[in-house]
Amino acid sequence: MIVRVALQGSATVPFRNVFAVEAEFVYSTDNPAFVLARSSEKLPPKKPSTISISYRPGTAGQQGSGSRMAKLTVACPKQTSTQWVFYLQA
């Protein structure tokens, strides 16, 4: 899934806890210009949520060529080694 994030704007990614128990999910991106509203979240069983992402090029400490692409990874290490991956484009 490719998620388009507006330049200097934000977007949301729909996500759902697929497990039958409450679980903590950890969110990360591989490009510091894509800023997450939170780095983790506990979700009740089978409940939906949204992951908020902003695109802020030139963020302090950012290095690289100013890529407008990134990968959002969602992990739930206590439940599974599987990760969910979403591709971001500004």
Side-chain angles (χ1 to χ4, degrees), residues 4-75:
R4 302 207 190 282
V5 183
L7 293 174
Q8 297 294 332
S10 61
T12 58
V13 177
F15 188 74
R16 177 183 294 273
N17 176 357
V18 297
F19 302 110
V21 297
E22 180 179 77
E24 182 170 8
F25 294 87
V26 179
Y27 310 131
S28 63
T29 66
D30 64 353
N31 182 337
F34 290 86
V35 180
L36 295 163
R38 57 186 173 268
S39 60
S40 67
E41 173 179 31
K42 282 188 180 179
L43 293 176
K46 305 291 184 179
K47 295 297 177 183
S49 182
T50 55
I51 303 167
S52 297
I53 305 154
S54 300
Y55 180 69
R56 302 284 181 252
T59 302
Q62 177 181 337
Q63 297 178 2
S65 63
S67 174
R68 293 172 43 185
M69 301 289 292
K71 182 169 62 171
L72 165 64
T73 304
V74 179

